[in-house]
Amino acid sequence: AIAIITGIPFLKFLTGLGAISAVIILVFKDTILGFVASIQVSINDMVRIGDWVTFEKFGADGDVIEITLATVKVQNFDKTITTIPT
């Protein structure tokens, strides 16, 4: 409908829409993946506040104290706080 209203040939409109979509996905790739991961963590109830987690890559080994949209905060056994992306 937009292609007809603007007078752009449908094939050119579809090609342009695909190109713009590809650029947006490349630019916001990490943001989109983080958002989807946080939804999966919430829906599947993978981690709860108070759970003990060990994540050597980020130096986390302790209790989960906070879960946000983008991060999980862990209080290590030595009382330091480590933030892990979802």
Side-chain angles (χ1 to χ4, degrees):
I2 295 172
I4 293 170
I5 292 171
T6 58
I8 300 172
F10 182 70
L11 189 57
K12 284 187 178 181
F13 179 76
L14 194 60
T15 303
L17 188 63
I20 290 172
S21 298
V23 170
I24 288 174
I25 288 173
L26 285 174
V27 170
F28 295 109
K29 176 186 166 193
D30 292 333
T31 306
I32 294 168
L33 287 175
F35 181 69
V36 170
S38 66
I39 290 172
Q40 286 178 337
V41 167
S42 298
I43 290 176
N44 295 330
D45 203 21
M46 294 177 171
V47 178
R48 293 183 183 175
I49 293 177
D51 285 353
W52 185 274
V53 295
T54 301
F55 207 111
E56 293 178 14
K57 181 178 178 182
F58 292 99
D61 187 19
D63 292 319
V64 175
I65 58 172
E66 183 180 348
I67 302 171
T68 63
L69 186 64
T71 61
V72 175
K73 286 188 180 178
V74 177
Q75 183 177 13
N76 297 319
F77 63 93
D78 60 356
K79 302 298 182 194
T80 58
I81 305 291
T82 304
T83 304
I84 303 171
T86 52

